mmCIF file of all heavy atoms in Angstrom:
data_model
loop_
_atom_site.group_PDB
_atom_site.id
_atom_site.type_symbol
_atom_site.label_atom_id
_atom_site.label_comp_id
_atom_site.label_asym_id
_atom_site.label_seq_id
_atom_site.Cartn_x
_atom_site.Cartn_y
_atom_site.Cartn_z
ATOM 1 N N VAL P 13 3.604 1.219 -4.186
ATOM 2 C CA VAL P 13 2.704 1.978 -3.299
ATOM 3 C C VAL P 13 2.998 1.467 -1.999
ATOM 4 O O VAL P 13 3.104 2.373 -1.065
ATOM 5 C CB VAL P 13 1.308 1.958 -3.778
ATOM 6 C CG1 VAL P 13 0.395 2.714 -2.757
ATOM 7 C CG2 VAL P 13 1.035 2.423 -5.066
ATOM 8 N N GLU P 14 3.064 0.202 -1.736
ATOM 9 C CA GLU P 14 3.166 -0.362 -0.285
ATOM 10 C C GLU P 14 4.555 0.148 0.237
ATOM 11 O O GLU P 14 4.687 0.512 1.415
ATOM 12 C CB GLU P 14 3.263 -1.951 -0.439
ATOM 13 C CG GLU P 14 1.872 -2.422 -0.605
ATOM 14 C CD GLU P 14 1.877 -4.013 -0.831
ATOM 15 O OE1 GLU P 14 2.924 -4.485 -1.278
ATOM 16 O OE2 GLU P 14 0.890 -4.684 -0.582
ATOM 17 N N ASP P 15 5.695 0.164 -0.716
ATOM 18 C CA ASP P 15 6.968 0.491 -0.128
ATOM 19 C C ASP P 15 7.048 2.087 0.185
ATOM 20 O O ASP P 15 7.546 2.478 1.131
ATOM 21 C CB ASP P 15 7.871 0.356 -1.276
ATOM 22 C CG ASP P 15 9.352 0.706 -0.880
ATOM 23 O OD1 ASP P 15 9.822 0.096 0.112
ATOM 24 O OD2 ASP P 15 9.946 1.688 -1.357
ATOM 25 N N VAL P 16 6.258 2.867 -0.633
ATOM 26 C CA VAL P 16 6.219 4.346 -0.417
ATOM 27 C C VAL P 16 5.529 4.595 1.035
ATOM 28 O O VAL P 16 6.025 5.372 1.873
ATOM 29 C CB VAL P 16 5.410 5.069 -1.464
ATOM 30 C CG1 VAL P 16 5.084 6.544 -0.976
ATOM 31 C CG2 VAL P 16 6.113 5.114 -2.710
ATOM 32 N N ILE P 17 4.422 3.970 1.222
ATOM 33 C CA ILE P 17 3.832 3.982 2.461
ATOM 34 C C ILE P 17 4.603 3.619 3.754
ATOM 35 O O ILE P 17 4.830 4.193 4.725
ATOM 36 C CB ILE P 17 2.487 3.332 2.528
ATOM 37 C CG1 ILE P 17 1.547 3.931 1.563
ATOM 38 C CG2 ILE P 17 1.733 3.390 3.945
ATOM 39 C CD1 ILE P 17 0.250 3.225 1.279
ATOM 40 N N ALA P 18 5.189 2.332 3.625
ATOM 41 C CA ALA P 18 5.969 1.734 4.627
ATOM 42 C C ALA P 18 7.371 2.586 4.975
ATOM 43 O O ALA P 18 7.683 2.702 6.042
ATOM 44 C CB ALA P 18 6.420 0.307 4.122
ATOM 45 N N SER P 19 7.880 3.147 3.989
ATOM 46 C CA SER P 19 9.130 3.844 4.191
ATOM 47 C C SER P 19 8.930 5.436 4.478
ATOM 48 O O SER P 19 9.972 5.964 4.746
ATOM 49 C CB SER P 19 10.114 3.728 2.879
ATOM 50 O OG SER P 19 9.420 4.178 1.709
ATOM 51 N N ASN P 20 7.657 5.928 4.276
ATOM 52 C CA ASN P 20 7.581 7.276 4.560
ATOM 53 C C ASN P 20 6.542 7.628 5.619
ATOM 54 O O ASN P 20 6.248 8.848 5.913
ATOM 55 C CB ASN P 20 7.114 8.025 3.209
ATOM 56 C CG ASN P 20 8.198 7.989 2.200
ATOM 57 O OD1 ASN P 20 9.084 8.886 2.238
ATOM 58 N ND2 ASN P 20 8.135 7.086 1.294
ATOM 59 N N VAL P 21 5.892 6.720 6.267
ATOM 60 C CA VAL P 21 4.991 6.878 7.345
ATOM 61 C C VAL P 21 5.715 6.223 8.644
ATOM 62 O O VAL P 21 5.904 5.037 8.611
ATOM 63 C CB VAL P 21 3.674 6.169 7.129
ATOM 64 C CG1 VAL P 21 2.836 6.335 8.467
ATOM 65 C CG2 VAL P 21 2.872 6.821 5.959
ATOM 66 N N ASN P 22 6.052 7.084 9.454
ATOM 67 C CA ASN P 22 6.752 6.708 10.630
ATOM 68 C C ASN P 22 5.787 5.883 11.604
ATOM 69 O O ASN P 22 4.824 6.327 12.114
ATOM 70 C CB ASN P 22 7.304 7.914 11.368
ATOM 71 C CG ASN P 22 8.369 7.452 12.496
ATOM 72 O OD1 ASN P 22 8.588 6.215 12.828
ATOM 73 N ND2 ASN P 22 9.058 8.399 13.091
ATOM 74 N N ARG P 23 6.252 4.650 11.841
ATOM 75 C CA ARG P 23 5.500 3.537 12.597
ATOM 76 C C ARG P 23 4.616 2.937 11.617
ATOM 77 O O ARG P 23 3.789 3.671 10.921
ATOM 78 C CB ARG P 23 4.935 3.987 13.739
ATOM 79 C CG ARG P 23 5.765 4.147 14.931
ATOM 80 C CD ARG P 23 5.042 4.189 16.312
ATOM 81 N NE ARG P 23 4.300 5.444 16.523
ATOM 82 C CZ ARG P 23 3.587 5.621 17.716
ATOM 83 N NH1 ARG P 23 3.633 4.770 18.504
ATOM 84 N NH2 ARG P 23 2.952 6.879 17.767
ATOM 85 N N GLN P 24 4.803 1.644 11.382
ATOM 86 C CA GLN P 24 3.954 0.866 10.407
ATOM 87 C C GLN P 24 2.340 1.070 10.819
ATOM 88 O O GLN P 24 2.135 0.941 12.107
ATOM 89 C CB GLN P 24 4.275 -0.498 10.328
ATOM 90 C CG GLN P 24 5.773 -0.732 9.896
ATOM 91 C CD GLN P 24 5.883 -0.238 8.324
ATOM 92 O OE1 GLN P 24 5.310 -0.731 7.540
ATOM 93 N NE2 GLN P 24 6.724 0.765 8.317
ATOM 94 N N ILE P 25 1.471 1.084 9.923
ATOM 95 C CA ILE P 25 0.145 1.065 10.186
ATOM 96 C C ILE P 25 -0.455 -0.372 10.166
ATOM 97 O O ILE P 25 -0.516 -1.012 8.912
ATOM 98 C CB ILE P 25 -0.657 2.000 9.184
ATOM 99 C CG1 ILE P 25 -0.066 3.394 9.181
ATOM 100 C CG2 ILE P 25 -2.099 1.933 9.429
ATOM 101 C CD1 ILE P 25 -0.624 4.347 8.042
ATOM 102 N N PRO P 26 -0.755 -0.989 11.213
ATOM 103 C CA PRO P 26 -1.153 -2.389 11.170
ATOM 104 C C PRO P 26 -2.404 -2.468 10.495
ATOM 105 O O PRO P 26 -3.420 -1.734 10.703
ATOM 106 C CB PRO P 26 -1.272 -2.701 12.817
ATOM 107 C CG PRO P 26 -1.439 -1.383 13.337
ATOM 108 C CD PRO P 26 -0.695 -0.320 12.641
ATOM 109 N N GLY P 27 -2.623 -3.588 9.604
ATOM 110 C CA GLY P 27 -3.849 -3.907 9.003
ATOM 111 C C GLY P 27 -4.087 -3.011 7.638
ATOM 112 O O GLY P 27 -5.130 -3.260 7.142
ATOM 113 N N LEU P 28 -3.199 -2.170 7.276
ATOM 114 C CA LEU P 28 -3.419 -1.535 5.992
ATOM 115 C C LEU P 28 -3.248 -2.518 4.848
ATOM 116 O O LEU P 28 -2.372 -3.220 4.822
ATOM 117 C CB LEU P 28 -2.375 -0.364 5.806
ATOM 118 C CG LEU P 28 -2.461 0.547 4.639
ATOM 119 C CD1 LEU P 28 -2.012 1.917 5.040
ATOM 120 C CD2 LEU P 28 -1.713 -0.028 3.445
ATOM 121 N N VAL P 29 -4.211 -2.382 3.960
ATOM 122 C CA VAL P 29 -4.247 -3.250 2.805
ATOM 123 C C VAL P 29 -4.542 -2.441 1.473
ATOM 124 O O VAL P 29 -5.290 -1.587 1.456
ATOM 125 C CB VAL P 29 -5.429 -4.217 2.871
ATOM 126 C CG1 VAL P 29 -5.508 -5.227 1.781
ATOM 127 C CG2 VAL P 29 -5.293 -5.112 4.201
ATOM 128 N N ILE P 30 -3.851 -2.888 0.420
ATOM 129 C CA ILE P 30 -3.969 -2.195 -0.932
ATOM 130 C C ILE P 30 -4.579 -3.284 -1.853
ATOM 131 O O ILE P 30 -4.106 -4.430 -2.005
ATOM 132 C CB ILE P 30 -2.613 -1.713 -1.409
ATOM 133 C CG1 ILE P 30 -2.158 -0.617 -0.573
ATOM 134 C CG2 ILE P 30 -2.791 -1.134 -2.905
ATOM 135 C CD1 ILE P 30 -0.651 -0.274 -0.973
ATOM 136 N N HIS P 31 -5.841 -2.807 -2.390
ATOM 137 C CA HIS P 31 -6.470 -3.891 -3.341
ATOM 138 C C HIS P 31 -6.352 -3.233 -4.742
ATOM 139 O O HIS P 31 -6.714 -2.162 -5.220
ATOM 140 C CB HIS P 31 -7.933 -3.853 -3.132
ATOM 141 C CG HIS P 31 -8.182 -4.531 -1.706
ATOM 142 N ND1 HIS P 31 -8.536 -5.868 -1.547
ATOM 143 C CD2 HIS P 31 -8.433 -3.973 -0.482
ATOM 144 C CE1 HIS P 31 -8.709 -6.157 -0.286
ATOM 145 N NE2 HIS P 31 -8.636 -5.083 0.333
ATOM 146 N N PRO P 32 -5.576 -3.967 -5.583
ATOM 147 C CA PRO P 32 -5.387 -3.475 -6.927
ATOM 148 C C PRO P 32 -6.614 -3.894 -7.814
ATOM 149 O O PRO P 32 -7.106 -5.024 -7.701
ATOM 150 C CB PRO P 32 -4.105 -4.055 -7.482
ATOM 151 C CG PRO P 32 -4.078 -5.329 -6.705
ATOM 152 C CD PRO P 32 -4.666 -5.116 -5.388
ATOM 153 N N ILE P 33 -7.123 -3.057 -8.692
ATOM 154 C CA ILE P 33 -8.278 -3.378 -9.617
ATOM 155 C C ILE P 33 -7.679 -3.149 -10.983
ATOM 156 O O ILE P 33 -7.261 -2.070 -11.329
ATOM 157 C CB ILE P 33 -9.506 -2.481 -9.534
ATOM 158 C CG1 ILE P 33 -10.095 -2.622 -7.948
ATOM 159 C CG2 ILE P 33 -10.547 -2.779 -10.583
ATOM 160 C CD1 ILE P 33 -11.129 -1.592 -7.756
ATOM 161 N N ARG P 34 -7.553 -4.226 -11.858
ATOM 162 C CA ARG P 34 -6.847 -4.156 -13.099
ATOM 163 C C ARG P 34 -7.921 -3.857 -14.300
ATOM 164 O O ARG P 34 -8.833 -4.657 -14.327
ATOM 165 C CB ARG P 34 -6.104 -5.454 -13.403
ATOM 166 C CG ARG P 34 -5.095 -5.886 -12.452
ATOM 167 C CD ARG P 34 -4.048 -4.933 -12.071
ATOM 168 N NE ARG P 34 -3.084 -5.495 -11.227
ATOM 169 C CZ ARG P 34 -2.057 -4.799 -10.633
ATOM 170 N NH1 ARG P 34 -2.050 -3.249 -10.880
ATOM 171 N NH2 ARG P 34 -1.136 -5.208 -9.826
ATOM 172 N N LEU P 35 -7.731 -2.925 -15.012
ATOM 173 C CA LEU P 35 -8.597 -2.571 -16.092
ATOM 174 C C LEU P 35 -8.303 -3.526 -17.170
ATOM 175 O O LEU P 35 -9.159 -3.728 -18.149
ATOM 176 C CB LEU P 35 -8.621 -1.146 -16.498
ATOM 177 C CG LEU P 35 -9.417 -0.175 -15.706
ATOM 178 C CD1 LEU P 35 -8.987 -0.128 -14.193
ATOM 179 C CD2 LEU P 35 -9.387 1.153 -16.194
ATOM 180 N N ASN P 36 -6.988 -3.913 -17.360
ATOM 181 C CA ASN P 36 -6.711 -4.817 -18.415
ATOM 182 C C ASN P 36 -5.334 -5.492 -17.931
ATOM 183 O O ASN P 36 -4.617 -5.076 -17.063
ATOM 184 C CB ASN P 36 -6.489 -4.229 -19.765
ATOM 185 C CG ASN P 36 -5.338 -3.163 -19.822
ATOM 186 O OD1 ASN P 36 -4.182 -3.552 -19.514
ATOM 187 N ND2 ASN P 36 -5.695 -1.895 -20.088
ATOM 188 N N LEU P 37 -5.094 -6.693 -18.548
ATOM 189 C CA LEU P 37 -3.891 -7.409 -18.057
ATOM 190 C C LEU P 37 -2.660 -7.234 -19.068
ATOM 191 O O LEU P 37 -1.691 -7.882 -18.946
ATOM 192 C CB LEU P 37 -4.346 -8.904 -18.149
ATOM 193 C CG LEU P 37 -5.415 -9.242 -16.948
ATOM 194 C CD1 LEU P 37 -5.656 -10.687 -17.076
ATOM 195 C CD2 LEU P 37 -4.988 -8.859 -15.610
#
């Protein structure tokens, strides 16, 4: 997901954070 955002949004968005919530491991 990080790569999709970084490679498809022109100019990086400073401060963007992705928090994963795992339902199981």
Side-chain angles (χ1 to χ4, degrees):
V13 179
E14 288 174 336
D15 181 67
V16 166
I17 295 171
S19 59
N20 291 279
V21 176
N22 193 352
R23 283 196 287 180
Q24 300 295 300
I25 301 172
L28 184 146
V29 180
I30 300 175
H31 295 270
I33 300 174
R34 307 300 186 189
L35 276 63
N36 64 64
L37 299 178

